[in-house]
Amino acid sequence: MRIAVGSTNPVKVAAVRDVVQALYGSGVEVLAVAVDPGVRAQPIGVEEILQGAINRAIRAREATDADMGVGIEAGLVPIQRFTLTGYVDVQWCAVVDCDGRITVGHGPGFEYPPSVIVRVFREDLEVGRVVEELSGIRDIGKRVGAIGWLSKGATNRREFTRWSVLMAFIPRIREELYLR
C-alpha cells in the first residue's frame, strides 16, 4: 500500500507513518509530497481549514497515484464564548482513496496566548512565525510545534497531529459501518 501525504513537513509525515503502520503494518510506503493547499497561509474557520486538508489529500494522491492521500491542515477556529482569545487551534485531517471517498477527523484544540492572536490578526502573520519569535525556536512547526513549547514538553506536534490522522481513519478502520 502506498499513502501520499500532502506535505514535506517531517512531523506531519511521521505522524501519518505512525498511524498507518499501526493500522496496516510496516509494509506501508508513506510518501511526502509538496502540494498547494489552496487556502491562506493562516486558515481561519473550520471550512477553510478542512478545505485545505481535503485539497492536500486529493493533490497528493493524484500526484503520486497512491492508494490514499492524506492532507493535514491546522488553523484557528473562532469560539467566541468561554475562551481568552476567541480562537482555538485545531488540526484537521482528510483521507481520500482511489474511489474519491473522503474521510475526515480532527485532533484536540488549544488556545494560543492572547499576544499571539493579536499579532496574527493585527500584522497578518502566521501563528507559527509569531510563536517562533516568542519561543526562540527556529522552524518550530517542523520540531516540537507550538503545542510542544506551550505545554513545556507534555506533548508535541507529532502526537497532536497523530490524533487528527487517527480520527480521519476511523471510518476506514470500521469500514463495514461507514463505507459499504
Side-chain angles (χ1 to χ4, degrees):
M1 179 182 293
R2 295 174 66 224
I3 297 179
V5 181
S7 176
T8 58
N9 183 317
V11 174
K12 289 182 178 183
V13 175
V16 171
R17 186 176 290 111
D18 291 347
V19 171
V20 299
Q21 287 184 348
L23 295 176
Y24 303 114
S26 60
V28 178
E29 182 182 6
V30 178
L31 311 165
V33 183
V35 297
D36 177 5
V39 296
R40 292 181 281 188
Q42 182 56 69
I44 308 292
V46 172
E47 294 298 320
E48 186 176 6
I49 301 164
L50 190 51
Q51 188 63 63
I54 291 169
N55 291 349
R56 285 179 183 275
I58 291 169
R59 292 169 182 170
R61 202 204 70 69
E62 288 175 348
T64 60
D65 199 32
D67 298 297
M68 285 187 243
V70 177
I72 301 161
E73 193 73 48
L76 298 173
V77 175
I79 299 176
Q80 299 306 314
R81 295 185 58 189
F82 314 115
T83 64
L84 297 172
T85 64
Y87 293 90
V88 175
D89 181 278
V90 177
Q91 189 160 246
W92 281 85
C93 178
V95 180
V96 63
D97 57 30
C98 294
D99 295 325
R101 295 179 299 190
I102 298 171
T103 56
V104 299
H106 69 77
F110 67 96
E111 279 190 88
Y112 286 102
S115 63
V116 172
I117 297 301
V118 167
R119 287 197 61 205
V120 165
F121 286 100
R122 185 180 60 211
E123 300 172 37
D124 195 27
L125 296 172
E126 292 178 52
V127 168
R129 182 171 168 205
V130 178
V131 175
E132 277 185 11
E133 291 174 16
L134 190 61
S135 68
I137 302 171
R138 187 170 181 219
D139 292 327
I140 196 168
K142 294 180 180 177
R143 298 170 186 250
V144 298
I147 190 64
W149 181 71
L150 290 169
S151 72
K152 293 187 176 182
T155 191
N156 58 54
R157 188 168 189 207
R158 182 171 173 171
E159 186 64 22
F160 190 71
T161 302
R162 188 184 163 286
W163 282 109
S164 66
V165 175
L166 179 59
M167 295 306 108
F169 272 93
I170 292 292
R172 293 169 191 285
I173 295 168
R174 295 290 183 185
E175 195 170 281
E176 72 280 5
L177 300 173
Y178 293 87
L179 300 174
R180 299 277 175 192

